[in-house]
Amino acid sequence: MTRFAQSTAIFRMNAQLNIFEEKIQEDNYTAESYTGIYGMHKYWSKKPYNIIRTFIKKYSTPEDFVLDPFSGSGISVIESIVTNRKGIGFDINPSAVFITKQVLNKISSFQLSKEYQRIEKEIKSTINSFYEVKRNGSVYQGTHFLWENDVLSEVWYQNGTRKKVTDKSTQNDIQFANSFKYEDIKEFFPTDKFYHNSRINARGNQRIFELFTPRNLKALALLMSEIEKTQDEKIRDILKFCFTSSIGQASRMVFVVKSRGKMNGEIESDKKEVGSWVIGYWTPKENFEINVWNCFENKFSKILKAKKLQEKAQYEVREAKQFVDLINSNSNFLLLNEPAQIGLKNFPDNSVDYVITDPPHGNRIPYLELSMLWNSWLKKSVDYENEIIVSEARERNKDIDDYNRLLNQTFEEIQRVLKPQKYFSLMFNSLDDQTWINLISKLHSLDLDLIKVETLEYSANSVVQDTRKAGLKTDFIITFQKQSNLNKQPLEILNKKDNKQFIKAAIRKLFIKSDVNSFETYQILNHLFRHFLSQNQFFNISDALDILSEDYHFTHNKWQPKNNIYAANISDT
Ligand SMILES: C[S@@+](CC[C@H](N)C(=O)[O-])C[C@H]1O[C@@H](n2cnc3c(N)ncnc32)[C@H](O)[C@@H]1O
């Protein structure tokens, strides 16, 4: 290409960019962290409730039907109710639906406390007796036990003044801890076998119960059997929810955080602190065994506090059993533990007013495998076959083709059930070319008009943020409007060889028009998405990142121009 032709091409492109960028303005969304009812139970990739609320208010009106086909911990369903809409959630994960129902259910905190006290009276002292620590003829209450390579090395206990004492383990402590045996436990505990998946540290020859020491397993099995005796179903479920919320911390997955600390004013020593279970099934060589009653009690007090506040909340929750109930009665939410691509087939055409959803993102989080910990204790049966996921567990045969096929089926159903002119907001996060190209191509082929591309931050305490080099710190949220007869041009996937200069110029435009001289990966990709999608074009994310690294340095998590790339004319080709 001659210099002149090159400059003309760039000029034309810049003109197009100006038009599109004026059309789309960025809203500023700041994520709030999960407290209150949203902080009661862990779930991976929970969305910031305040931003979900903003979207629901923006794209729907009171009394509307709001659908989330991948509702996870249920934030969109709950926010639909809070904003006076009717919320519909699907999730294939029984734990996800269970968590959502427990968050939603308004119960009497008085009755809940009363039942907790009954359980406390029945088994607290038995459970605590499992953790007794004997020193100099006195018996103390053990709280934490440090294991190194399966040998008990340290015990933490409380003396009379509730002061924490840390001590080396004695022969007596070791013998006592080792006297608990899996085979002696009479009460129910789960024996489900893992799918082998090294990505989440799950070994195929391991079973769920091995995540716990025999002593903690005995305590948990006792606790669950006592919870099962609760008469009132709603209260029983909340107590089970409290149980599943606390079991990660009662497992051998709790690692040791070491930091240099000062002891006795002067001497520096290694201070050991208690980590927490985050994701996956890694049982570190050095791990804590925490008193099961304490884990349960801690969670219970948080949940009780949130439930007390919820009692005063204005909204009512009325569950529907099927879609027609939502239409014909005053019920305001429907939760279905079904695969969305199948369950949505029971919904009529043009029946939903807004869809907001966050599907599984490729291979990032194998929800069902991770939730085996909860589902197995709750005795839930699980439909692994229909999960939309890419899993490294070979025996599951869940590859990218299966993922794309099932996700595409769900998109078709979403388009079918969405009313004409109504909106669909899709949250997504991936750096994988094939995943994006499938997603964008499928959506482009449907009666959906792209309205807006924005970015969505995670909450400050999210555990799934991508922290890899140049990883995406945000999700993208892409909003479509259902329109028939769109007469769209076919989507063109740009190849790197012929289109490098266009991608370069689009990136350059972002830097030139802005006051700042560095951008994060997501900001650049967001800009490229808006630019190219508006022209019915899309690109490989990896090409864009390659092209980016030719002219920009990646330092302190941001891209900055290398020397003089804007000086003189362009060396794009
Ligand atoms: C990214 S998460 C949603 C998280 C949710 N936005 C939240 O805030 O908690 C995706 C969800 O899709 C669910 N899922 C996977 N395959 C599914 C299917 N075929 N039908 C319905 N849900 C499915 C997973 O269990 C997971 O909960």
Side-chain angles (χ1 to χ4, degrees):
M1 204 188 258
T2 64
R3 270 260 149 103
F4 175 73
Q6 225 174 39
S7 309
T8 317
I10 302 291
F11 175 80
R12 240 195 352 256
M13 209 158 38
N14 286 348
Q16 281 169 344
L17 268 168
N18 283 337
I19 295 165
F20 187 61
E21 278 154 15
E22 274 162 30
K23 199 173 115 191
I24 291 188
Q25 280 164 20
E26 181 114 25
D27 286 330
N28 184 18
Y29 303 115
T30 310
E32 281 180 19
S33 50
Y34 322 113
T35 52
I37 56 166
Y38 291 126
M40 295 193 293
H41 204 292
K42 179 195 289 296
Y43 202 71
W44 304 276
S45 77
K46 273 188 195 178
K47 291 293 157 251
Y49 75 93
N50 60 313
I51 299 180
I52 299 297
R53 185 179 297 181
T54 306
F55 271 81
I56 291 175
K57 282 181 161 175
K58 189 161 151 188
Y59 290 112
S60 68
T61 51
E63 301 301 317
D64 273 359
F65 292 147
V66 176
L67 165 70
D68 184 346
F70 303 101
S71 57
S73 61
I75 290 171
S76 49
V77 178
I78 299 162
E79 287 301 324
S80 300
I81 296 173
V82 171
T83 55
N84 214 5
R85 276 78 170 159
K86 297 193 179 204
I88 306 160
F90 278 88
D91 205 290
I92 198 164
N93 186 355
S95 292
V97 171
F98 178 75
I99 291 169
T100 308
K101 285 196 180 169
Q102 303 325 309
V103 174
L104 267 176
N105 273 344
K106 282 186 158 186
I107 42 117
S108 147
S109 56
F110 173 75
Q111 225 190 323
L112 178 61
S113 301
K114 226 170 109 191
E115 193 56 25
Y116 174 82
Q117 283 156 17
R118 178 193 69 76
I119 295 172
E120 187 178 36
K121 194 161 149 247
E122 290 299 326
I123 51 161
K124 179 178 172 178
S125 60
T126 309
I127 291 181
N128 272 339
S129 73
F130 298 171
Y131 306 99
E132 282 177 354
V133 176
K134 294 186 177 137
R135 291 289 183 277
N136 307 323
S138 299
V139 179
Y140 298 103
Q141 187 56 66
T143 58
H144 298 74
F145 298 80
L146 185 65
W147 292 80
E148 288 176 58
N149 296 314
D150 296 327
V151 179
L152 181 64
S153 62
E154 197 175 293
V155 295
W156 296 7
Y157 59 90
Q158 286 172 330
N159 71 13
T161 58
R162 296 187 67 82
K163 193 166 171 286
K164 189 185 89 185
V165 179
T166 304
D167 200 3
K168 287 213 163 8
S169 60
T170 62
Q171 255 331 328
N172 187 47
D173 297 329
I174 296 172
Q175 266 172 14
F176 184 47
N178 289 339
S179 69
F180 291 84
K181 305 274 181 232
Y182 291 133
E183 54 274 22
D184 294 340
I185 303 172
K186 301 280 179 299
E187 297 77 13
F188 164 82
F189 62 83
T191 53
D192 304 39
K193 218 168 146 226
F194 286 118
Y195 286 104
H196 187 85
N197 187 341
S198 49
R199 188 183 173 87
I200 56 165
N201 290 298
R203 284 179 280 120
N205 56 0
Q206 206 188 6
R207 291 177 187 270
I208 280 285
F209 70 85
E210 293 171 62
L211 293 173
F212 307 94
T213 60
R215 167 162 61 184
N216 270 15
L217 188 70
K218 169 79 186 163
L220 286 168
L222 260 182
L223 178 57
M224 187 49 121
S225 76
E226 202 55 49
I227 291 174
E228 295 275 15
K229 293 179 193 156
T230 303
Q231 300 283 315
D232 184 288
E233 195 185 335
K234 276 191 174 174
I235 299 286
R236 186 168 65 235
D237 279 348
I238 288 279
L239 289 163
K240 285 189 182 175
F241 170 76
C242 188
F243 179 96
T244 52
S245 180
S246 65
I247 47 175
Q249 220 47 16
S251 76
R252 294 164 55 223
M253 297 184 285
V254 177
F255 54 90
V256 181
V257 182
K258 283 190 182 155
S259 57
R260 303 292 285 176
K262 277 199 175 164
M263 285 240 299
N264 307 329
E266 293 297 312
I267 312 144
E268 282 222 328
S269 68
D270 267 343
K271 225 171 88 186
K272 290 179 188 132
E273 283 173 39
V274 185
S276 60
W277 174 56
V278 181
I279 191 167
Y281 293 120
W282 176 56
T283 47
K285 290 208 171 351
E286 235 187 321
N287 64 274
F288 278 108
E289 179 192 33
I290 308 180
N291 179 323
V292 161
W293 186 263
N294 292 351
C295 296
F296 185 66
E297 191 176 49
N298 281 342
K299 277 291 171 190
F300 179 78
S301 49
K302 278 199 189 122
I303 290 173
L304 183 67
K305 201 167 149 202
K307 284 290 170 193
K308 274 185 177 161
L309 277 176
Q310 193 184 33
E311 267 180 316
K312 296 184 198 134
Q314 296 293 313
Y315 58 86
E316 297 281 326
V317 287
R318 297 176 296 268
E319 184 173 2
K321 291 284 168 230
Q322 49 187 344
F323 186 63
V324 287
D325 299 346
L326 272 190
I327 304 172
N328 298 331
S329 74
N330 72 345
S331 52
N332 60 359
F333 80 99
L334 173 65
L335 270 172
L336 297 163
N337 175 214
E338 291 170 24
Q341 69 276 21
I342 297 173
L344 276 173
K345 291 194 190 302
N346 300 322
F347 281 41
D349 294 357
N350 307 327
S351 52
V352 166
D353 300 280
Y354 179 46
V355 180
I356 178 162
T357 199
D358 162 37
H361 310 176
N363 68 354
R364 289 194 65 219
I365 303 166
Y367 291 91
L368 289 183
E369 290 168 48
L370 289 170
S371 301
M372 190 184 271
L373 178 62
W374 301 323
N375 285 326
S376 63
W377 275 102
L378 295 170
K379 302 182 189 162
K380 303 275 189 195
S381 61
V382 177
D383 175 1
Y384 285 98
E385 183 138 351
N386 280 305
E387 185 182 17
I388 300 180
I389 200 72
V390 178
S391 170
E392 264 125 83
R394 287 244 188 95
E395 54 184 310
R396 291 193 62 197
N397 277 328
K398 284 286 176 187
D399 58 14
I400 184 80
D401 292 337
D402 183 80
Y403 170 87
N404 286 339
R405 186 174 57 85
L406 300 181
L407 190 58
N408 287 352
Q409 286 174 10
T410 319
F411 287 147
E412 282 170 20
E413 289 304 314
I414 289 173
Q415 179 227 238
R416 186 184 61 77
V417 300
L418 189 63
K419 292 181 185 168
Q421 311 301 322
K422 299 289 182 172
Y423 297 95
F424 164 30
S425 299
L426 175 77
M427 292 167 260
F428 206 68
N429 179 330
S430 171
L431 281 177
D432 179 64
D433 292 334
Q434 226 189 323
T435 312
W436 269 114
I437 288 178
N438 169 69
L439 184 116
I440 296 294
S441 307
K442 183 68 196 176
L443 293 166
H444 188 80
S445 75
L446 299 172
D447 287 346
L448 295 169
D449 192 19
L450 189 138
I451 298 295
K452 208 161 185 182
V453 187
E454 294 162 277
T455 48
L456 178 87
E457 280 179 31
Y458 285 104
S459 287
N461 52 355
S462 169
V463 294
V464 296
Q465 204 179 57
D466 189 346
T467 49
R468 289 168 295 177
K469 180 175 183 271
L472 293 173
K473 305 273 177 305
T474 67
D475 282 356
F476 292 101
I477 180 153
I478 310 177
T479 300
F480 302 87
Q481 187 176 27
K482 180 165 167 180
Q483 302 260 22
S484 45
N485 308 320
L486 275 168
N487 285 330
K488 283 187 218 167
Q489 299 288 319
L491 186 73
E492 182 194 356
I493 307 296
L494 302 176
N495 69 42
K496 186 173 165 188
K497 194 166 148 275
D498 300 336
N499 298 286
K500 196 172 177 178
Q501 74 203 59
F502 296 108
I503 298 178
K504 276 197 174 194
I507 298 171
R508 179 180 301 108
K509 175 77 185 171
L510 173 70
F511 281 83
I512 290 173
K513 73 165 192 162
S514 161
D515 299 340
V516 291
N517 74 340
S518 60
F519 288 98
E520 290 197 40
T521 308
Y522 80 87
Q523 291 169 313
I524 295 171
L525 289 180
N526 188 24
H527 167 76
L528 294 179
F529 283 175
R530 293 165 176 207
H531 172 64
F532 288 111
L533 287 173
S534 73
Q535 300 170 133
N536 297 311
Q537 291 175 323
F538 200 60
F539 54 94
N540 282 297
I541 307 284
S542 60
D543 290 349
L545 293 178
D546 282 351
I547 293 170
L548 191 59
S549 56
E550 286 178 18
D551 292 342
Y552 301 81
H553 291 295
F554 189 72
T555 37
H556 305 296
N557 269 325
K558 289 193 169 181
W559 297 94
Q560 276 185 355
K562 290 180 182 170
N563 289 340
N564 292 332
I565 64 156
Y566 298 131
N569 255 324
I570 302 113
S571 59
D572 284 331
T573 48

